[in-house]
Amino acid sequence: MASESDKKIILLYVYDILKDYTDSKHLLTYSDIVLKLNMLYGICPNVKSIARNIETLMEYGIDIQRKNKKGCYLAKRDFNNSEVMYLVDAVYSSKSISPENAKELIKKLTKNCSIFERKKYKHIYKVEEISRKRSNQLFQNIELLNEAIEQRKKVSFQYNEYDTSKNFLPRFEGKQFIMNPYFLVNNNGKYYLVCNYNKYDNLANYKIECMSSLKIMEDDVKPLKSLPGQENFKQDEYINEHIYMMTGESVKATIKLDSTKVINDIIDWFGDKVEIIERDNSLYAELKVNEQALIYWALQYGDAIEIVSPERTRKNLRQKLKEIMEKYGIWTIRSFFVKRVKNIFQIRFFGYDVW
């Protein structure tokens, strides 16, 4: 016999049972729910009280579907299955989150599903197999940074990196970085703080997972739009320009595309504000982008694109390619043969070298 306190809370027990043990393929009759209540909570209400509880939940707006004598199930949840799958995969693939935090977060997400749907997420128990930074401070850092941004206060932190023994240690012997925090960005599975180093006037990006000893200071932030060149700052434009969250100057670039197939990649990386232009039977993309990011991106897509302008960026890309080729001995071999050919075929004509 259910006690008075049990009767008051039984409505929530029924809702929990529907969340955990029902979906469109798995229904429970009212008698089944009575059995679950007895097994899980040690209470045994009658079937009529279960029917009243189901009616109350439906009146409240809970989407419960009934199929005659086959029973009932919870038809609508906070997230549908495809949304849960997307969020779980995002957590699973993120290398910023420690295995412990990843597993805990995935468990919270899959609580939205029935126990039958949760079985699809077997990799919840394999998060340790993903190579990731093992920092448990990420969520705490995000919370503190959001609070500082909301309060418009400066922050201080140590910034860490791995040494040769793979120890995660503070840079510059534990120096405190003092920053004006503006907003957070999730880029390629990594969280960054977009901020201003208090001593300078440019924007910088720091990985949040690399921060330790993070503190909110009493000093007010330097307003973002007070920085030189940032009077008309737009967050979406900044994110599209800084695809790898590198610091440095942005440039207006023109890129020649070898085929229309590259358009998808251009828009995936730089957003749909990129201008695609057909000119002289050739295809071009015009965009504003961080120069270092563009060079890095061009190294990935170099067989399908060509940076046309600015000339300085072309020159910097050539220099980067030369440095890479020299590491593999390619440039050295080329220089050797060019020199040999010059020596063999050099011609003296009216006192001038002709080559």
Side-chain angles (χ1 to χ4, degrees):
M1 188 74 178
S3 67
E4 285 302 315
S5 60
D6 288 334
K7 288 179 182 178
K8 292 177 181 179
I9 202 170
I10 193 171
L11 186 70
L12 297 177
Y13 287 156
V14 171
Y15 185 38
D16 283 343
I17 287 171
L18 290 174
K19 284 195 293 184
D20 284 342
Y21 296 98
T22 71
D23 54 41
S24 59
K25 296 178 182 178
H26 303 88
L27 285 68
L28 291 178
T29 64
Y30 294 165
S31 297
D32 293 332
I33 294 174
V34 170
L35 290 173
K36 289 286 185 187
L37 285 167
N38 189 21
M39 182 174 62
L40 296 172
Y41 305 107
I43 56 179
C44 192
N46 58 48
V47 171
K48 287 185 179 179
S49 68
I50 299 301
R52 287 195 296 271
N53 282 311
I54 296 294
E55 289 292 341
T56 301
L57 289 170
M58 293 175 69
E59 288 173 8
Y60 180 69
I62 307 299
D63 189 355
I64 300 171
Q65 296 293 321
R66 291 178 290 196
K67 291 189 177 180
N68 300 324
K69 296 182 180 180
K70 293 182 179 180
C72 61
Y73 69 96
L74 185 63
K76 190 174 181 181
R77 300 170 186 269
D78 293 334
F79 302 102
N80 63 41
N81 289 338
S82 61
E83 290 170 336
V84 172
M85 185 173 292
Y86 178 85
L87 293 170
V88 167
D89 285 342
V91 172
Y92 179 63
S93 60
S94 173
K95 294 187 177 183
S96 297
I97 306 173
S98 70
E100 296 80 11
N101 284 342
K103 184 178 287 189
E104 188 63 29
L105 189 50
I106 291 173
K107 283 183 178 178
K108 288 178 181 178
L109 287 168
T110 54
K111 271 191 173 182
N112 179 81
C113 307
S114 69
I115 60 171
F116 312 103
E117 287 292 329
R118 288 176 207 166
K119 292 177 182 178
K120 294 179 180 179
Y121 302 99
K122 292 181 179 178
H123 56 288
I124 183 175
Y125 302 108
K126 298 180 181 179
V127 292
E128 292 88 350
E129 296 176 8
I130 298 292
S131 174
R132 60 179 89 225
K133 274 196 177 68
R134 297 177 178 263
S135 169
N136 290 310
Q137 299 181 93
L138 178 67
F139 295 122
Q140 181 183 352
N141 285 348
I142 289 173
E143 189 174 342
L144 283 171
L145 289 169
N146 273 322
E147 185 179 341
I149 291 168
E150 187 176 339
Q151 295 178 5
R152 299 183 180 180
K153 297 294 184 181
K154 292 177 182 176
V155 294
S156 67
F157 54 82
Q158 293 177 341
Y159 202 65
N160 303 277
E161 59 188 0
Y162 287 104
D163 65 9
T164 54
S165 300
K166 295 189 290 188
N167 297 311
F168 202 45
L169 301 173
R171 293 175 65 183
F172 307 124
E173 300 180 345
K175 171 188 173 181
Q176 290 289 319
F177 290 72
I178 298 176
M179 297 288 177
N180 297 288
Y182 297 126
F183 60 93
L184 310 182
V185 176
N186 186 336
N187 181 278
N188 292 322
K190 301 283 186 181
Y191 270 100
Y192 294 83
L193 171 67
V194 178
C195 56
N196 162 250
Y197 192 18
N198 202 52
K199 292 167 59 176
Y200 305 108
D201 288 328
N202 62 313
L203 287 175
N205 310 310
Y206 284 82
K207 286 182 185 176
I208 296 174
E209 68 196 53
C210 294
M211 299 176 184
S212 62
S213 303
L214 176 64
K215 295 178 183 177
I216 301 175
M217 304 178 70
E218 294 295 326
D219 300 336
D220 293 337
V221 297
K222 184 193 305 180
L224 191 158
K225 293 192 176 182
S226 70
L227 301 178
Q230 304 299 340
E231 298 83 2
N232 300 309
F233 178 87
K234 292 182 180 178
Q235 186 171 324
D236 58 336
E237 291 180 1
Y238 184 86
I239 293 170
N240 286 333
E241 289 174 19
H242 295 75
I243 56 173
Y244 299 111
M245 298 309 294
M246 295 176 172
T247 55
E249 183 183 348
S250 290
V251 295
K252 290 184 178 179
T254 300
I255 302 172
K256 186 177 181 180
L257 314 181
D258 286 0
S259 73
T260 56
K261 293 180 180 179
V262 195
I263 296 175
N264 284 336
D265 296 312
I266 290 278
I267 292 175
D268 281 347
W269 281 97
F270 301 104
D272 57 8
K273 291 185 179 179
V274 173
E275 289 190 50
I276 306 298
I277 299 168
E278 291 188 66
R279 185 170 61 237
D280 301 327
N281 296 320
S282 295
L283 198 60
Y284 298 89
E286 293 185 349
L287 63 155
K288 187 178 181 185
V289 61
N290 172 267
E291 184 179 45
Q292 290 301 314
L294 178 57
I295 290 171
Y296 188 57
W297 181 85
L299 292 173
Q300 294 177 271
Y301 289 88
D303 61 336
I305 63 101
E306 176 190 354
I307 297 176
V308 177
S309 67
E311 180 59 35
R312 184 190 72 180
T313 306
R314 284 174 61 90
K315 181 179 178 182
N316 290 339
L317 177 57
R318 282 196 298 268
Q319 180 60 32
K320 182 64 67 177
L321 288 168
K322 180 181 177 182
E323 292 169 3
I324 292 171
M325 292 170 74
E326 284 176 345
K327 286 183 179 179
Y328 292 91
I330 299 172
W331 195 271
T332 305
I333 294 169
R334 177 185 179 278
S335 300
F336 171 78
F337 278 108
V338 168
K339 185 176 181 180
R340 288 286 292 170
V341 171
K342 277 187 176 184
N343 288 339
I344 294 169
F345 293 100
Q346 192 174 58
I347 301 171
R348 300 292 295 180
F349 186 70
F350 292 111
Y352 292 94
D353 289 338
V354 179
W355 171 248

